[in-house]
Amino acid sequence: MALINDLGKIIVFLFLLLSVFLITAKAERKLPNYLFAAFLLISVVDLSGFFLPPSDSKIIKGFKLSSILLQLPLYFLYVNAACYYNFRLKKKHLLHALPFVFFWGWFGIAGITGQNDRILDMASTVQYYGYIIAVFITLRTFRRLYRENYSSNHHLTYKWLMQTTILFLIGNCFVMLRGFVEDNETVFMYLYTFSSLFVLFVISWFVLNALYRPNLLAGINKDLEPVKSVEKPKEEPEQLKVLLNFMQTEKPYLDDKLTLQKLSEQIQLPEKQLSVLINQYTGKHFFDFINEFRINDAKRFLKDQPQLTVMEILYEVGFNSRSSFYTAFKKETGVTPTDYRKSGV
């Protein structure tokens, strides 16, 4: 039990430390940091049960128990703010706090009994999985939108949020397992200790990502809409020939911040029409369409310019990070840039 208390203190300290860091760190977009910090601080209220004795006050105890209903709403809002640079908090978002307000008020008036505690458990479980599903839907839409409209790599944001959500799911599984073995004190304590170590691992991972990737959350436009499928005509339209010729001659893909909007302005074609043109006639998203030209240039450099390093080449052809270049290159060719150069193809 002493080990769990000590782990609890360490975990809470790290949560508080990361919260302070997120609130005070310089960043172009503050809202995601603030929302994640709020999520961590609310989690601290729940995690304080590791080492703090229970309060006799119905208000305080009710707040602590009900605070679990704020965790996933805050995380859901954080995911939206992380994905979309123009996401803003509005009055309607206060509706996410209604379950918390209801149960806190109920516990404050009626006290905490076995029956209303079980109702809270059921409500929090339904809410948890409801928000997890909503997060996965948000991430799926985000992934589709950035692939259809952006050439820069937003995959790191998607990967971070997806991994974080999966870690939360794993942590929730440990909580559910504890409920099944609570009658076996030995197994329960082992599982409690293991889950505490898991939480410690997760928060350490959060801290490292926050320190080493301060600009992780670039975000995209939330007002974008996924491209709807249309029937592909048998003949290629003239606009496709114009587009491909423009790509070959003007090389707009060398701009590492090229977006669908920028390209539509350069080629003087409406965004939606250009997006449909790329999706339906090339079978690729905008992201992959642009990267194909970049990779073709990179292959020529790797073959004909041995004096250039891989890092020099990736910036030369329009990529802005080593990881995104290697991922795109291997997807297109099946090998890494270094192996491609060695092969002499």
Side-chain angles (χ1 to χ4, degrees), residues 327-343:
T327 300
F329 194 94
K330 192 166 185 179
K331 180 180 179 181
E332 189 72 27
T333 65
V335 295
T336 65
T338 303
D339 290 338
Y340 181 85
R341 170 172 268 175
K342 289 178 180 179
S343 69

Side-chain angles (χ1 to χ4, degrees), residues 72 125 128-129 132 136 164-181 188 191-192 194-196 198-199 202:
L72 264 294
T125 300
Y128 182 91
Y129 288 104
I132 287 293
F136 279 128
T164 303
T165 305
I166 291 173
L167 286 173
F168 287 158
L169 273 173
I170 295 173
N172 188 66
C173 288
F174 289 139
V175 174
M176 293 179 65
L177 283 174
R178 291 208 309 258
F180 288 115
V181 299
F188 179 82
L191 189 57
Y192 212 110
F194 184 80
S195 60
S196 302
F198 178 78
V199 172
V202 171

Side-chain angles (χ1 to χ4, degrees), residues 103-286:
F103 276 96
W104 187 21
W106 186 19
F107 289 157
I109 296 171
I112 300 170
T113 64
Q115 182 179 3
N116 56 25
D117 192 29
R118 285 191 296 272
I119 293 174
L120 173 63
D121 285 340
M122 289 187 290
S124 62
T125 300
V126 171
Q127 186 214 49
Y128 182 91
Y129 288 104
Y131 274 101
I132 287 293
I133 292 170
V135 166
F136 279 128
I137 292 172
T138 300
L139 291 177
R140 185 183 64 177
T141 303
F142 167 70
R143 185 172 184 267
R144 182 177 175 183
L145 288 176
Y146 83 68
R147 288 169 64 86
E148 289 179 353
N149 295 274
Y150 291 81
S151 66
S152 55
N153 188 27
H154 287 79
H155 177 69
L156 290 177
T157 300
Y158 172 82
K159 185 178 178 181
W160 152 263
L161 295 172
M162 182 62 74
Q163 289 176 340
T164 303
T165 305
I166 291 173
L167 286 173
F168 287 158
L169 273 173
I170 295 173
N172 188 66
C173 288
F174 289 139
V175 174
M176 293 179 65
L177 283 174
R178 291 208 309 258
F180 288 115
V181 299
E182 58 185 357
D183 292 334
N184 188 322
E185 186 175 349
T186 303
V187 176
F188 179 82
M189 292 305 297
Y190 275 121
L191 189 57
Y192 212 110
T193 303
F194 184 80
S195 60
S196 302
L197 290 170
F198 178 78
V199 172
L200 183 59
F201 159 77
V202 171
I203 187 56
S204 300
W205 183 70
F206 286 163
V207 171
L208 289 174
N209 273 278
L211 292 175
Y212 288 106
R213 297 179 178 179
N215 299 316
L216 181 66
L217 310 176
I220 65 173
N221 189 346
K222 74 179 182 67
D223 297 322
L224 296 171
E225 295 182 0
V227 175
K228 297 180 180 178
S229 298
V230 297
E231 187 176 349
K232 177 181 177 181
K234 295 180 180 179
E235 296 183 5
E236 290 185 352
E238 186 64 28
Q239 293 98 321
L240 182 62
K241 297 176 184 178
V242 173
L243 172 63
L244 295 176
N245 182 64
F246 183 82
M247 297 297 294
Q248 294 287 354
T249 57
E250 301 300 323
K251 300 183 182 295
Y253 53 85
L254 297 181
D255 176 7
D256 66 340
K257 294 181 174 61
L258 182 67
T259 64
L260 184 72
Q261 182 183 18
K262 282 186 181 181
L263 183 58
S264 72
E265 291 172 355
Q266 293 174 18
I267 202 172
Q268 296 184 339
L269 197 65
E271 279 185 64
K272 287 187 178 180
Q273 189 175 344
L274 177 59
S275 185
V276 170
L277 193 68
I278 293 172
N279 277 266
Q280 300 301 321
Y281 291 97
T282 70
K284 296 177 181 290
H285 292 298
F286 177 76

